[in-house]
Amino acid sequence: MSPDIRIGWTVVLFLAALAAGMGVSSVAHCEPVPLTERVAALVPVFGSKKEPLVDAAGFASALVEVSGGNRDWIALLATVAIHEAALSARIADGNCRPLECDHGLAWSLYQIHRNQQNAAVWGSRDLTVQTREASRMLRQAFYRCGGLRDGWLLQTLRAYAGHGCASPFPGETERVATFARVRR
């Protein structure tokens, strides 16, 4: 084979390798899906199959804003809303049936009872207000139970439910499983 043909084949092989590398690089450098879009995608997956769901974009925006983008906190807030209200638009709007919402004593996707700290916002239909109040209460439960240590999630859920940090309550295993699924 002549030197010119050898150079020609070398150039062809180099260009083929360069093209393959650029193709792999373009796939590897895809733009990630924004966090709010990933959170919004949770609503149809985890929400009620029997009634209209909360506005996915509004719910996602509220969770990301209130949590500051902390994925564990987003998963915790979403888990509570999923189990307390099945992400129901009707519950978020305060349209509870007679036996729902603790017989009308609880409000929001997070089923929060009125107290001195939330009296000014209790009953608001604004998802960000609801999420901010739930986050405040979850943060109190989190710190009451010792913060970031082994078992923080279960202890926080127990305290939020009014059972203390160490007292189990029905459905806690399902909530921990939901948290794990949402977090993934």
Side-chain angles (χ1 to χ4, degrees), residues 84 91 94-107 111-113 122:
E84 293 294 340
I91 301 294
N95 299 321
C96 300
R97 295 182 182 127
L99 299 178
E100 292 177 330
C101 303
D102 292 344
H103 301 278
L105 299 174
W107 147 77
Q111 294 299 282
I112 300 167
H113 285 247
W122 197 88

Side-chain angles (χ1 to χ4, degrees), residues 78-143:
T79 296
V80 171
I82 289 163
H83 283 274
E84 293 294 340
L87 303 176
S88 164
R90 183 177 53 77
I91 301 294
D93 286 341
N95 299 321
C96 300
R97 295 182 182 127
L99 299 178
E100 292 177 330
C101 303
D102 292 344
H103 301 278
L105 299 174
W107 147 77
S108 83
L109 288 175
Y110 307 95
Q111 294 299 282
I112 300 167
H113 285 247
R114 183 186 297 251
N115 60 46
Q116 290 178 341
Q117 293 176 316
N118 67 25
V121 297
W122 197 88
S124 172
R125 294 173 143 178
D126 186 306
L127 291 174
T128 302
V129 170
Q130 293 178 18
T131 303
R132 189 172 291 118
E133 180 57 22
S135 182
R136 183 191 63 74
M137 292 180 68
L138 283 162
R139 196 171 27 266
Q140 286 178 342
F142 172 80
Y143 286 116

Side-chain angles (χ1 to χ4, degrees), residues 52-65:
L53 299 175
V54 70
D55 172 56
F59 178 69
S61 177
L63 265 65
V64 171
E65 177 185 329

Side-chain angles (χ1 to χ4, degrees), residues 84 154 156-164 167-175:
E84 293 294 340
L154 189 53
T156 301
L157 289 169
R158 287 173 174 171
Y160 182 81
H163 291 267
S167 300
F169 69 97
E172 67 180 26
T173 304
E174 291 81 5
R175 290 175 192 236

